[in-house]
Structure formats: structure tokens, C-alpha cells
């Protein structure tokens, strides 16, 4: 798989198992085009001296309605707008309030202070703050995408 190691491939397989094998092709496209771009930008910013001012996050919460964590699905959580129109249709009647509070707090901290509480791209490599029902640092959040972009990583 383009130089990807076993850890990266196993993580990809686990994600496909979570969303369903019918989405395997879509997951390859998302990883190859969208998520790989994150690693390219982070690497370019780090190489250009801005890695200490670059942070990665990964919104990994799977909607109980759709079963996936899709494009822009983090926005009601980031802006703490779980009562907004359309949110219930996307996330059901009880989206996780704690996730919204955590993500919103992090975004406000970045907007107000220009920094967040997790490792920078310079320090954390392919790692990212992974937002899910339990938010944590994931040292390999973008490992597969980094290896697809640069097989030597």
C-alpha cells in the first residue's frame, strides 16, 4: 500500500471495519486526497519554520445516524451549536455534549490565544488531537496518510 507499514494498514482496516466495508473505497479516497493534504501542509509548514505554530486535529466521532465521521461534521461541536437546525437529523437527539464542550473550548483557546494544549506538528509528527466521545492525543492519527504522501516516513 504505497510504502505504508503494518501499523498504518491495521489502523485503516479498523476504520473500514467501523464504518463498513461498503465504504472502503471512500476511505481510500478520503485518506489519499483530503487527509494526506493535512500531512503535506504540516510537513511544509514545519520545513518552512512554522511547525511550532501548526496543530493537527482529527474529528473521529461517528454519527449514530449515518455511522460515519464526515466532512464538516465537527462544526456543530466546534461552535457548540448542538441545538442548531439540522444537528438532530445528523447526530440524533443526544449528540455528546462533553465532546462539544471540549472541542469548543479548544477552538476558543486557539482563537483567543493562538495556541492549543497539544503537541505541535513540529513536536508530534503525524499525531493529532483526536476528537471522539473520549478526546485524546493520537500519536499515529495521520500515519497512513503521511506514508502515502512520503513512503519514507
Amino acid at each position: 500500500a504505497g510504502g505504508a507499514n503494518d501499523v498504518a494498514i491495521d489502523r485503516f482496516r479498523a476504520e473500514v471495519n467501523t464504518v463498513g466495508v461498503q465504504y472502503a473505497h471512500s476511505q481510500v479516497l478520503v485518506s489519499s486526497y483530503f487527509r494526506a493534504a493535512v500531512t503535506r501542509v504540516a510537513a511544509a509548514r514545519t520545513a518552512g519554520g512554522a511547525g511550532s505554530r501548526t496543530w493537527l486535529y482529527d474529528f473521529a466521532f461517528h454519527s449514530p445516524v449515518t455511522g460515519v465521521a464526515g466532512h464538516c461534521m465537527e462544526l456543530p461541536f466546534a461552535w457548540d451549536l448542538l441545538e442548531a437546525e439540522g444537528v438532530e437529523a445528523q447526530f440524533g437527539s443526544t449528540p455528546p455534549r462533553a465532546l462539544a464542550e471540549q472541542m469548543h473550548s479548544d477552538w476558543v483557546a486557539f482563537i483567543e490565544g493562538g495556541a492549543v494544549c497539544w503537541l505541535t506538528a513540529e513536536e508530534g509528527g503525524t499525531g493529532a488531537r483526536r476528537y471522539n466521545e473520549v478526546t485524546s492525543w493520537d500519536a499515529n492519527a495521520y500515519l497512513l496518510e503521511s506514508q502515502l504522501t512520503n513512503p519514507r516516513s
Side-chain angles (χ1 to χ4, degrees):
N5 69 22
D6 289 343
V7 171
I9 291 169
D10 288 346
R11 287 176 61 91
F12 179 79
R13 284 184 179 141
E15 180 64 17
V16 168
N17 287 337
T18 299
V19 299
V21 71
Q22 71 273 22
Y23 293 112
H25 185 256
S26 295
Q27 283 301 117
V28 168
L29 293 175
V30 166
S31 289
S32 298
Y33 294 108
F34 298 105
R35 292 178 57 88
V38 171
T39 66
R40 286 191 304 271
V41 169
R45 287 183 54 82
T46 299
S52 64
R53 298 182 315 277
T54 305
W55 296 266
L56 306 182
Y57 78 90
D58 181 18
F59 187 77
F61 176 69
H62 291 90
S63 163
V65 175
T66 66
V68 299
H71 180 66
C72 291
M73 290 176 71
E74 76 271 25
L75 295 179
F77 295 90
W79 302 119
D80 196 10
L81 294 172
L82 298 184
E83 293 77 26
E85 183 179 338
V87 172
E88 184 173 342
Q90 187 66 41
F91 295 104
S93 60
T94 57
R97 167 67 43 206
L99 175 57
E101 290 170 357
Q102 179 66 67
M103 191 167 203
H104 182 70
S105 172
D106 288 345
W107 280 44
V108 168
F110 180 74
I111 291 165
E112 290 180 344
V116 289
C117 63
W118 61 90
L119 298 176
T120 66
E122 183 176 87
E123 300 163 325
T126 62
R129 175 99 153 168
R130 189 170 175 94
Y131 289 97
N132 206 335
E133 298 228 27
V134 174
T135 296
S136 62
W137 173 257
D138 182 345
N140 293 317
Y142 288 94
L143 179 63
L144 173 68
E145 294 79 11
S146 178
Q147 291 178 351
L148 291 173
T149 301
N150 179 11
R152 287 176 249 120
S153 61

